[in-house]
Amino acid sequence: MSDKPEELNVQSPQTEQTERTPINQEAESFERAVDTPQSRLEQLVEQLKHDIAEDVVDEAIINEVNGQLPTITVKKEHWLAVARWFQVEEEWSCDYLRNVAGVDQGDELEVVYHLISLQTRREIAVHVKTEREQSWIPSVTPLWPTANWNEREVYDLLGIDFPGHPDLRRIMMPDDWVGHPLRKDYDPSDTEV
Amino acid sequence: MIRTEELLLNVGPQHPSTHGVFRIVLKLDGEIIKEATPVMGYLHRGTEKLAEQLNYTQIIPYTDRMDYVSAMTNNYVLVHAVEKMMNIEIPERAEFMRLIVMELQRVASHLVWWGTYLLDIGAMSPFLYAFRDREVIIDLFNELCGARLTYNYMRVGGVKWDAPSGWIDKVRDFIPYMRKRLKEYDKLVSGNEIFLARIKGVGIYDAQTAIAYGLSGANLRCTGVNWDLRKQEPYSLYERFDFDVPLSFNGDCYDRYRIRIEEIVQSLRILEQAVEQFPSEGETMGKVPRVIRPPAGEVYARIESPRGEIGCYIVSKGKAEPYRLKFRRPSFVNLQILPELLVGQSMTNLITILGGVDIVVGEVDC
């Protein structure tokens, strides 16, 4: 394994693995048209492009190890619109934000949101990336109050700003702490700390 | 007119009713709470940062120290996440052992909650009863893995220790013992008028609020939302067992109390079946590479801990150490609703409501 950051996810099923004869190819494409995680993902991306913006999705993959979880990467400028879309759109109605995780990906910082609908059971993971310096991602606290402390934690430990957050303060570290510990370039022996 | 003045009151971080080093700053008008600001971080140890320098097996003892009242489920969520990434098969006997200890842990955890909650409200003896019975479970764990609270019991691929001879029989004997005790406790406490006056109709919220705040566990199910990951997204062997998810609909402290008591009953049901079906022999460790290196990728595994949905999000770059490890801690998420519940309540209800949420500060701060 190489050291540099690479593709986060395993690519989705179907392609290349099975030997293709014209018959099973046809069966496969038929199956794909009907209902597979991949087809549903493609459909979702089309819908998002249509409803929000052409360039909204940077990447869309099926995370196989995570029970075929659809995982998309959206532009931070569109994240708020996408979040609202998932919440309002009937077939999704993601009312439950189950996890918010900040990740330092080296060149960029990233926040991963795991959404689920308790009614439709549909689930999605959304990655939102931001640059290292002056990093910001719009806050989704107005949509899901549960994001409040989660975003404070990400701000505290990774230093990402969440414009729109009602009360963005440190939550784990003391208020006068210098630096953001979960960043990879954080130096614990920094004299200023 | 009497002139009133707002009073700023600090509760904690050293306060017996905050169950650890949790602090809350209250703005009071007389006895009525006007504003409540929780202050966390007194127990923040940076588990997630530390984990980035450790290999996966070394992280397991750290999970014991998050929710130290329910260490077994914490162990499980980590190894479960890694197993998902590496697609490791677990021997049946090992999975049974895990399930049995997790359910015993749920009973133990709810007993601690029950005892301390009543202690908070002013009843001393239930605390002693609860801890006496929990001691039986802790002795079982001690016999199994040599620790009373921080078990470090599970491993990626299985469990560290097989059940000593006679251990399963002890678990079997525990079930009727606990059932009998539980009935007594119900008689002792659940109908007590003073107790009911303190908790009925206190700290009410509805299902919509609960979902918006991302609550889980009894805090969610007390509003009638049928969401128990053991049923909804079955993991381990839960699909094989017959049990119910206790629900109730008023969303007050009393309902949360009832649900936790009922969950002990259901856990005992699961244990009874698990002990019956326990395979008489078999491996306790699956085939696992010597150095655990999950392939590059990410996974979010979640299970139902006694406090709700505990999740483990791992980003791996194919190395022996995780690139990023994040725990979704139910105590942390559940606690968020507290400031909203407290506004307009009298000071005495602070303890009732905070206790009803059931937090473990080790998990809030992580």
mmCIF file of all heavy atoms in Angstrom, chain B residues 292-306:
data_model
loop_
_atom_site.group_PDB
_atom_site.id
_atom_site.type_symbol
_atom_site.label_atom_id
_atom_site.label_comp_id
_atom_site.label_asym_id
_atom_site.label_seq_id
_atom_site.Cartn_x
_atom_site.Cartn_y
_atom_site.Cartn_z
ATOM 1 N N ILE B 292 -3.137 -6.650 11.863
ATOM 2 C CA ILE B 292 -4.434 -6.294 11.292
ATOM 3 C C ILE B 292 -4.290 -5.032 10.467
ATOM 4 O O ILE B 292 -4.006 -3.959 10.995
ATOM 5 C CB ILE B 292 -5.467 -6.125 12.417
ATOM 6 C CG1 ILE B 292 -5.690 -7.474 13.091
ATOM 7 C CG2 ILE B 292 -6.781 -5.584 11.876
ATOM 8 C CD1 ILE B 292 -6.194 -7.369 14.488
ATOM 9 N N ARG B 293 -4.448 -5.204 9.162
ATOM 10 C CA ARG B 293 -4.371 -4.062 8.248
ATOM 11 C C ARG B 293 -5.612 -4.024 7.375
ATOM 12 O O ARG B 293 -5.641 -4.643 6.325
ATOM 13 C CB ARG B 293 -3.145 -4.181 7.337
ATOM 14 C CG ARG B 293 -1.867 -3.749 7.976
ATOM 15 C CD ARG B 293 -0.794 -3.504 6.917
ATOM 16 N NE ARG B 293 0.506 -3.390 7.542
ATOM 17 C CZ ARG B 293 1.295 -4.415 7.828
ATOM 18 N NH1 ARG B 293 0.929 -5.625 7.492
ATOM 19 N NH2 ARG B 293 2.447 -4.221 8.431
ATOM 20 N N PRO B 294 -6.610 -3.291 7.781
ATOM 21 C CA PRO B 294 -7.809 -3.217 6.941
ATOM 22 C C PRO B 294 -7.460 -2.530 5.612
ATOM 23 O O PRO B 294 -6.619 -1.638 5.597
ATOM 24 C CB PRO B 294 -8.770 -2.337 7.748
ATOM 25 C CG PRO B 294 -8.209 -2.295 9.121
ATOM 26 C CD PRO B 294 -6.742 -2.494 8.993
ATOM 27 N N PRO B 295 -8.094 -2.958 4.520
ATOM 28 C CA PRO B 295 -7.813 -2.319 3.238
ATOM 29 C C PRO B 295 -8.234 -0.844 3.272
ATOM 30 O O PRO B 295 -9.058 -0.456 4.096
ATOM 31 C CB PRO B 295 -8.682 -3.097 2.260
ATOM 32 C CG PRO B 295 -9.730 -3.733 3.092
ATOM 33 C CD PRO B 295 -9.125 -3.981 4.421
ATOM 34 N N ALA B 296 -7.632 -0.054 2.385
ATOM 35 C CA ALA B 296 -7.985 1.356 2.338
ATOM 36 C C ALA B 296 -9.480 1.502 2.110
ATOM 37 O O ALA B 296 -10.063 0.795 1.295
ATOM 38 C CB ALA B 296 -7.216 2.046 1.220
ATOM 39 N N GLY B 297 -10.075 2.407 2.846
ATOM 40 C CA GLY B 297 -11.514 2.590 2.726
ATOM 41 C C GLY B 297 -12.066 3.171 4.004
ATOM 42 O O GLY B 297 -11.310 3.591 4.890
ATOM 43 N N GLU B 298 -13.367 3.208 4.087
ATOM 44 C CA GLU B 298 -13.985 3.742 5.299
ATOM 45 C C GLU B 298 -15.184 2.898 5.659
ATOM 46 O O GLU B 298 -15.779 2.234 4.806
ATOM 47 C CB GLU B 298 -14.411 5.191 5.093
ATOM 48 C CG GLU B 298 -15.416 5.366 3.969
ATOM 49 C CD GLU B 298 -16.079 6.736 3.980
ATOM 50 O OE1 GLU B 298 -15.450 7.685 4.441
ATOM 51 O OE2 GLU B 298 -17.224 6.821 3.531
ATOM 52 N N VAL B 299 -15.510 2.911 6.931
ATOM 53 C CA VAL B 299 -16.679 2.153 7.375
ATOM 54 C C VAL B 299 -17.287 2.858 8.569
ATOM 55 O O VAL B 299 -16.587 3.497 9.351
ATOM 56 C CB VAL B 299 -16.284 0.690 7.696
ATOM 57 C CG1 VAL B 299 -15.598 0.592 9.043
ATOM 58 C CG2 VAL B 299 -17.481 -0.233 7.662
ATOM 59 N N TYR B 300 -18.603 2.811 8.638
ATOM 60 C CA TYR B 300 -19.290 3.303 9.843
ATOM 61 C C TYR B 300 -20.111 2.160 10.403
ATOM 62 O O TYR B 300 -21.106 1.761 9.824
ATOM 63 C CB TYR B 300 -20.177 4.519 9.522
ATOM 64 C CG TYR B 300 -21.000 4.983 10.700
ATOM 65 C CD1 TYR B 300 -20.359 5.493 11.826
ATOM 66 C CD2 TYR B 300 -22.379 4.892 10.716
ATOM 67 C CE1 TYR B 300 -21.092 5.902 12.923
ATOM 68 C CE2 TYR B 300 -23.124 5.309 11.812
ATOM 69 C CZ TYR B 300 -22.473 5.812 12.909
ATOM 70 O OH TYR B 300 -23.199 6.211 14.008
ATOM 71 N N ALA B 301 -19.652 1.590 11.508
ATOM 72 C CA ALA B 301 -20.371 0.489 12.141
ATOM 73 C C ALA B 301 -21.121 1.032 13.344
ATOM 74 O O ALA B 301 -20.641 1.954 13.999
ATOM 75 C CB ALA B 301 -19.397 -0.584 12.589
ATOM 76 N N ARG B 302 -22.293 0.510 13.600
ATOM 77 C CA ARG B 302 -23.058 1.005 14.738
ATOM 78 C C ARG B 302 -23.795 -0.144 15.390
ATOM 79 O O ARG B 302 -24.238 -1.082 14.725
ATOM 80 C CB ARG B 302 -24.053 2.083 14.326
ATOM 81 C CG ARG B 302 -25.012 1.636 13.250
ATOM 82 C CD ARG B 302 -24.402 1.873 11.898
ATOM 83 N NE ARG B 302 -25.195 1.247 10.855
ATOM 84 C CZ ARG B 302 -25.196 1.648 9.584
ATOM 85 N NH1 ARG B 302 -24.416 2.620 9.203
ATOM 86 N NH2 ARG B 302 -25.930 1.059 8.707
ATOM 87 N N ILE B 303 -23.910 -0.057 16.686
ATOM 88 C CA ILE B 303 -24.650 -1.069 17.427
ATOM 89 C C ILE B 303 -25.479 -0.379 18.503
ATOM 90 O O ILE B 303 -25.335 0.821 18.738
ATOM 91 C CB ILE B 303 -23.714 -2.125 18.072
ATOM 92 C CG1 ILE B 303 -22.807 -1.481 19.103
ATOM 93 C CG2 ILE B 303 -22.918 -2.844 17.015
ATOM 94 C CD1 ILE B 303 -22.211 -2.457 20.068
ATOM 95 N N GLU B 304 -26.324 -1.141 19.134
ATOM 96 C CA GLU B 304 -27.172 -0.608 20.188
ATOM 97 C C GLU B 304 -26.488 -0.837 21.528
ATOM 98 O O GLU B 304 -26.416 -1.953 22.017
ATOM 99 C CB GLU B 304 -28.537 -1.304 20.143
ATOM 100 C CG GLU B 304 -29.584 -0.710 21.053
ATOM 101 C CD GLU B 304 -30.207 0.572 20.516
ATOM 102 O OE1 GLU B 304 -30.185 0.791 19.295
ATOM 103 O OE2 GLU B 304 -30.713 1.356 21.336
ATOM 104 N N SER B 305 -25.971 0.227 22.101
ATOM 105 C CA SER B 305 -25.400 0.107 23.439
ATOM 106 C C SER B 305 -26.533 0.389 24.429
ATOM 107 O O SER B 305 -27.607 0.798 24.020
ATOM 108 C CB SER B 305 -24.247 1.099 23.599
ATOM 109 O OG SER B 305 -24.686 2.283 24.223
ATOM 110 N N PRO B 306 -26.315 0.176 25.725
ATOM 111 C CA PRO B 306 -27.410 0.465 26.666
ATOM 112 C C PRO B 306 -27.878 1.920 26.584
ATOM 113 O O PRO B 306 -28.979 2.233 26.987
ATOM 114 C CB PRO B 306 -26.783 0.179 28.026
ATOM 115 C CG PRO B 306 -25.684 -0.763 27.744
ATOM 116 C CD PRO B 306 -25.176 -0.449 26.382
#
